[in-house]
């Protein structure tokens, strides 16, 4: 597996980095959450689909720059999730692309999280353009119904690498403990032929095991929530998660 360096953070198969999502709807909520997150996060993700002024470019730019100033040198992921990827917005593809390009052009973000289902329509030139502006691309595959068969997950990882992503993210839903263990085994196996760092997320109560198991399967990042703001990707509060992950290393 190749390492990916973003600011002072190295995404590799060692101890998974703690990423804290920001879910604020207003400018003040976003900056307040960023102030809280920076005390524990190694990486911060802005879930921009929650932002009520997302379509106002002046306010969007102001928020991006203020967020960068607030978190200083912590890597910032811009994640604009559509409804089909568990987000809050149903955007036309041209608008999805336009907002992501605006965020990249602001020079405030370090990584963009892009849904793999969208890349085929927007083409890989969209990915290459962002990378040309020194923004790393996380390409994400989601399944909110199940943990797909091994061959499906391995195919998705190969496709993500083929399309030129810098990091791959797999988000699935387990129906049993066996699904969680199988996913972790697949991620371990993938390290032998996929060069990308992989972020592996298993959702729900059962998925908590995968949140703390990145040191075993090679997942390079795990998600921890702010106190009182639990979400499916981050079932464990970030401070608790950091203590567990550090204890397991």
């Amino acid at each position: 597996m190749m390492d990916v360096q973003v600011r002072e953070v190295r995404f590799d198969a060692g101890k998974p980095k703690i990423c804290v999502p920001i879910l604020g709807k207003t400018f003040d909520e976003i900056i307040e959450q960023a102030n809280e997150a920076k005390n524990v996060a190694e990486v911060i993700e802005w879930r921009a689909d929650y932002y009520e002024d997302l379509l106002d470019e002046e306010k969007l730019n102001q928020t991006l720059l203020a967020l960068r100033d607030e978190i200083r040198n912590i890597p910032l992921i811009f994640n604009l999730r559509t409804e089909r990827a568990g987000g809050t917005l149903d955007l036309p593809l041209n608008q999805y692309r336009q907002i992501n390009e605006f965020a990249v052009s602001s020079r405030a973000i370090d990584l963009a999280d892009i849904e793999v289902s969208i890349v085929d329509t927007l083409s890989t030139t969209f990915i290459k353009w962002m990378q040309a502006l020194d923004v790393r691309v996380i390409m994400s595959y989601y399944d909110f119904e199940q943990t797909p068969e091994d061959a499906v997950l391995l195919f998705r990882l190969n496709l993500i690498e083929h399309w030129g992503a810098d990091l791959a993210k797999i988000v699935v839903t387990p129906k049993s403990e066996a699904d969680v263990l199988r996913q972790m085994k697949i991620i371990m196996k993938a390290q032998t032929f996929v060069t990308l760092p992989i972020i592996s997320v298993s959702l729900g109560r059962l998925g908590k095991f995968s949140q703390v198991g990145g040191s075993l399967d090679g997942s390079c990042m795990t998600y921890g929530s702010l106190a009182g703001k639990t979400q499916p990707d981050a079932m464990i509060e970030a401070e608790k998660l950091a203590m567990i992950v550090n204890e397991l290393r």
Side-chain angles (χ1 to χ4, degrees), residues 99-116:
I99 295 170
N100 273 283
E101 289 179 344
F102 186 87
V104 170
S105 298
S106 75
R107 303 287 184 169
I109 69 171
D110 301 293
L111 305 103
D113 191 319
I114 305 297
E115 298 162 28
V116 67

PDB file of all heavy atoms in Angstrom, residues 99-116:
ATOM      1  N   ILE A  99     -20.396  22.830  -6.918  1.00  0.00           N
ATOM      2  CA  ILE A  99     -20.114  23.133  -5.509  1.00  0.00           C
ATOM      3  C   ILE A  99     -18.776  22.534  -5.095  1.00  0.00           C
ATOM      4  O   ILE A  99     -17.984  23.173  -4.397  1.00  0.00           O
ATOM      5  CB  ILE A  99     -21.254  22.623  -4.608  1.00  0.00           C
ATOM      6  CG1 ILE A  99     -22.543  23.388  -4.909  1.00  0.00           C
ATOM      7  CG2 ILE A  99     -20.881  22.769  -3.134  1.00  0.00           C
ATOM      8  CD1 ILE A  99     -23.775  22.807  -4.240  1.00  0.00           C
ATOM      9  N   ASN A 100     -18.499  21.314  -5.538  1.00  0.00           N
ATOM     10  CA  ASN A 100     -17.205  20.713  -5.220  1.00  0.00           C
ATOM     11  C   ASN A 100     -16.060  21.498  -5.846  1.00  0.00           C
ATOM     12  O   ASN A 100     -15.021  21.713  -5.208  1.00  0.00           O
ATOM     13  CB  ASN A 100     -17.173  19.254  -5.695  1.00  0.00           C
ATOM     14  CG  ASN A 100     -17.731  18.279  -4.675  1.00  0.00           C
ATOM     15  OD1 ASN A 100     -17.067  17.948  -3.693  1.00  0.00           O
ATOM     16  ND2 ASN A 100     -18.960  17.843  -4.899  1.00  0.00           N
ATOM     17  N   GLU A 101     -16.236  21.931  -7.079  1.00  0.00           N
ATOM     18  CA  GLU A 101     -15.193  22.723  -7.734  1.00  0.00           C
ATOM     19  C   GLU A 101     -14.986  24.059  -7.028  1.00  0.00           C
ATOM     20  O   GLU A 101     -13.857  24.555  -6.918  1.00  0.00           O
ATOM     21  CB  GLU A 101     -15.549  22.937  -9.207  1.00  0.00           C
ATOM     22  CG  GLU A 101     -15.422  21.673 -10.042  1.00  0.00           C
ATOM     23  CD  GLU A 101     -15.789  21.885 -11.497  1.00  0.00           C
ATOM     24  OE1 GLU A 101     -16.437  22.923 -11.797  1.00  0.00           O
ATOM     25  OE2 GLU A 101     -15.449  21.026 -12.327  1.00  0.00           O
ATOM     26  N   PHE A 102     -16.069  24.650  -6.540  1.00  0.00           N
ATOM     27  CA  PHE A 102     -15.966  25.905  -5.803  1.00  0.00           C
ATOM     28  C   PHE A 102     -15.144  25.697  -4.526  1.00  0.00           C
ATOM     29  O   PHE A 102     -14.273  26.515  -4.185  1.00  0.00           O
ATOM     30  CB  PHE A 102     -17.359  26.428  -5.448  1.00  0.00           C
ATOM     31  CG  PHE A 102     -17.353  27.790  -4.808  1.00  0.00           C
ATOM     32  CD1 PHE A 102     -17.364  28.940  -5.586  1.00  0.00           C
ATOM     33  CD2 PHE A 102     -17.323  27.929  -3.427  1.00  0.00           C
ATOM     34  CE1 PHE A 102     -17.351  30.204  -4.998  1.00  0.00           C
ATOM     35  CE2 PHE A 102     -17.309  29.180  -2.831  1.00  0.00           C
ATOM     36  CZ  PHE A 102     -17.330  30.324  -3.615  1.00  0.00           C
ATOM     37  N   ALA A 103     -15.410  24.603  -3.816  1.00  0.00           N
ATOM     38  CA  ALA A 103     -14.677  24.310  -2.582  1.00  0.00           C
ATOM     39  C   ALA A 103     -13.195  24.088  -2.863  1.00  0.00           C
ATOM     40  O   ALA A 103     -12.328  24.577  -2.130  1.00  0.00           O
ATOM     41  CB  ALA A 103     -15.277  23.090  -1.887  1.00  0.00           C
ATOM     42  N   VAL A 104     -12.904  23.364  -3.933  1.00  0.00           N
ATOM     43  CA  VAL A 104     -11.502  23.123  -4.306  1.00  0.00           C
ATOM     44  C   VAL A 104     -10.807  24.440  -4.655  1.00  0.00           C
ATOM     45  O   VAL A 104      -9.676  24.702  -4.237  1.00  0.00           O
ATOM     46  CB  VAL A 104     -11.428  22.139  -5.488  1.00  0.00           C
ATOM     47  CG1 VAL A 104     -10.003  22.069  -6.052  1.00  0.00           C
ATOM     48  CG2 VAL A 104     -11.894  20.757  -5.056  1.00  0.00           C
ATOM     49  N   SER A 105     -11.485  25.289  -5.413  1.00  0.00           N
ATOM     50  CA  SER A 105     -10.908  26.564  -5.845  1.00  0.00           C
ATOM     51  C   SER A 105     -10.655  27.524  -4.687  1.00  0.00           C
ATOM     52  O   SER A 105      -9.834  28.435  -4.800  1.00  0.00           O
ATOM     53  CB  SER A 105     -11.827  27.232  -6.874  1.00  0.00           C
ATOM     54  OG  SER A 105     -11.967  26.432  -8.028  1.00  0.00           O
ATOM     55  N   SER A 106     -11.360  27.325  -3.582  1.00  0.00           N
ATOM     56  CA  SER A 106     -11.163  28.193  -2.413  1.00  0.00           C
ATOM     57  C   SER A 106      -9.793  27.999  -1.769  1.00  0.00           C
ATOM     58  O   SER A 106      -9.344  28.844  -0.998  1.00  0.00           O
ATOM     59  CB  SER A 106     -12.247  27.909  -1.369  1.00  0.00           C
ATOM     60  OG  SER A 106     -11.999  26.675  -0.693  1.00  0.00           O
ATOM     61  N   ARG A 107      -9.151  26.863  -2.062  1.00  0.00           N
ATOM     62  CA  ARG A 107      -7.852  26.506  -1.475  1.00  0.00           C
ATOM     63  C   ARG A 107      -7.941  26.278   0.035  1.00  0.00           C
ATOM     64  O   ARG A 107      -6.926  26.265   0.727  1.00  0.00           O
ATOM     65  CB  ARG A 107      -6.789  27.576  -1.773  1.00  0.00           C
ATOM     66  CG  ARG A 107      -6.571  27.856  -3.246  1.00  0.00           C
ATOM     67  CD  ARG A 107      -5.822  26.724  -3.920  1.00  0.00           C
ATOM     68  NE  ARG A 107      -5.529  27.021  -5.318  1.00  0.00           N
ATOM     69  CZ  ARG A 107      -4.702  26.298  -6.077  1.00  0.00           C
ATOM     70  NH1 ARG A 107      -4.113  25.242  -5.567  1.00  0.00           N
ATOM     71  NH2 ARG A 107      -4.500  26.626  -7.335  1.00  0.00           N
ATOM     72  N   ALA A 108      -9.154  26.084   0.537  1.00  0.00           N
ATOM     73  CA  ALA A 108      -9.335  25.886   1.979  1.00  0.00           C
ATOM     74  C   ALA A 108      -9.365  24.412   2.363  1.00  0.00           C
ATOM     75  O   ALA A 108      -9.164  24.071   3.522  1.00  0.00           O
ATOM     76  CB  ALA A 108     -10.631  26.559   2.444  1.00  0.00           C
ATOM     77  N   ILE A 109      -9.636  23.535   1.391  1.00  0.00           N
ATOM     78  CA  ILE A 109      -9.775  22.119   1.708  1.00  0.00           C
ATOM     79  C   ILE A 109      -8.550  21.334   1.252  1.00  0.00           C
ATOM     80  O   ILE A 109      -7.800  21.771   0.372  1.00  0.00           O
ATOM     81  CB  ILE A 109     -11.046  21.522   1.081  1.00  0.00           C
ATOM     82  CG1 ILE A 109     -10.924  21.447  -0.449  1.00  0.00           C
ATOM     83  CG2 ILE A 109     -12.274  22.335   1.484  1.00  0.00           C
ATOM     84  CD1 ILE A 109     -12.063  20.675  -1.120  1.00  0.00           C
ATOM     85  N   ASP A 110      -8.365  20.172   1.856  1.00  0.00           N
ATOM     86  CA  ASP A 110      -7.230  19.313   1.521  1.00  0.00           C
ATOM     87  C   ASP A 110      -7.660  18.060   0.779  1.00  0.00           C
ATOM     88  O   ASP A 110      -6.906  17.502  -0.005  1.00  0.00           O
ATOM     89  CB  ASP A 110      -6.490  18.891   2.797  1.00  0.00           C
ATOM     90  CG  ASP A 110      -5.983  20.081   3.580  1.00  0.00           C
ATOM     91  OD1 ASP A 110      -5.094  20.781   3.079  1.00  0.00           O
ATOM     92  OD2 ASP A 110      -6.495  20.322   4.699  1.00  0.00           O
ATOM     93  N   LEU A 111      -8.880  17.589   1.072  1.00  0.00           N
ATOM     94  CA  LEU A 111      -9.402  16.381   0.452  1.00  0.00           C
ATOM     95  C   LEU A 111     -10.867  16.592   0.085  1.00  0.00           C
ATOM     96  O   LEU A 111     -11.591  17.307   0.786  1.00  0.00           O
ATOM     97  CB  LEU A 111      -9.301  15.165   1.387  1.00  0.00           C
ATOM     98  CG  LEU A 111      -7.930  14.819   1.966  1.00  0.00           C
ATOM     99  CD1 LEU A 111      -7.851  15.281   3.414  1.00  0.00           C
ATOM    100  CD2 LEU A 111      -7.672  13.311   1.894  1.00  0.00           C
ATOM    101  N   ALA A 112     -11.293  15.951  -1.000  1.00  0.00           N
ATOM    102  CA  ALA A 112     -12.700  15.957  -1.398  1.00  0.00           C
ATOM    103  C   ALA A 112     -13.190  14.516  -1.421  1.00  0.00           C
ATOM    104  O   ALA A 112     -12.533  13.641  -1.991  1.00  0.00           O
ATOM    105  CB  ALA A 112     -12.874  16.589  -2.766  1.00  0.00           C
ATOM    106  N   ASP A 113     -14.330  14.273  -0.769  1.00  0.00           N
ATOM    107  CA  ASP A 113     -14.921  12.937  -0.726  1.00  0.00           C
ATOM    108  C   ASP A 113     -15.992  12.869  -1.817  1.00  0.00           C
ATOM    109  O   ASP A 113     -17.017  13.546  -1.745  1.00  0.00           O
ATOM    110  CB  ASP A 113     -15.537  12.699   0.656  1.00  0.00           C
ATOM    111  CG  ASP A 113     -15.937  11.251   0.873  1.00  0.00           C
ATOM    112  OD1 ASP A 113     -16.479  10.642  -0.065  1.00  0.00           O
ATOM    113  OD2 ASP A 113     -15.721  10.734   1.987  1.00  0.00           O
ATOM    114  N   ILE A 114     -15.745  12.033  -2.833  1.00  0.00           N
ATOM    115  CA  ILE A 114     -16.606  11.970  -4.013  1.00  0.00           C
ATOM    116  C   ILE A 114     -17.221  10.577  -4.130  1.00  0.00           C
ATOM    117  O   ILE A 114     -16.526   9.569  -3.999  1.00  0.00           O
ATOM    118  CB  ILE A 114     -15.798  12.286  -5.294  1.00  0.00           C
ATOM    119  CG1 ILE A 114     -15.096  13.645  -5.172  1.00  0.00           C
ATOM    120  CG2 ILE A 114     -16.708  12.239  -6.519  1.00  0.00           C
ATOM    121  CD1 ILE A 114     -16.024  14.830  -5.034  1.00  0.00           C
ATOM    122  N   GLU A 115     -18.516  10.529  -4.390  1.00  0.00           N
ATOM    123  CA  GLU A 115     -19.218   9.253  -4.512  1.00  0.00           C
ATOM    124  C   GLU A 115     -18.816   8.539  -5.805  1.00  0.00           C
ATOM    125  O   GLU A 115     -18.852   9.131  -6.883  1.00  0.00           O
ATOM    126  CB  GLU A 115     -20.719   9.485  -4.485  1.00  0.00           C
ATOM    127  CG  GLU A 115     -21.204  10.112  -3.184  1.00  0.00           C
ATOM    128  CD  GLU A 115     -22.586  10.726  -3.312  1.00  0.00           C
ATOM    129  OE1 GLU A 115     -23.370  10.249  -4.162  1.00  0.00           O
ATOM    130  OE2 GLU A 115     -22.887  11.668  -2.565  1.00  0.00           O
ATOM    131  N   VAL A 116     -18.443   7.264  -5.684  1.00  0.00           N
ATOM    132  CA  VAL A 116     -17.977   6.518  -6.843  1.00  0.00           C
ATOM    133  C   VAL A 116     -19.082   6.387  -7.896  1.00  0.00           C
ATOM    134  O   VAL A 116     -18.799   6.346  -9.100  1.00  0.00           O
ATOM    135  CB  VAL A 116     -17.456   5.127  -6.416  1.00  0.00           C
ATOM    136  CG1 VAL A 116     -18.570   4.239  -5.906  1.00  0.00           C
ATOM    137  CG2 VAL A 116     -16.702   4.460  -7.543  1.00  0.00           C
TER     138      VAL A 116
END
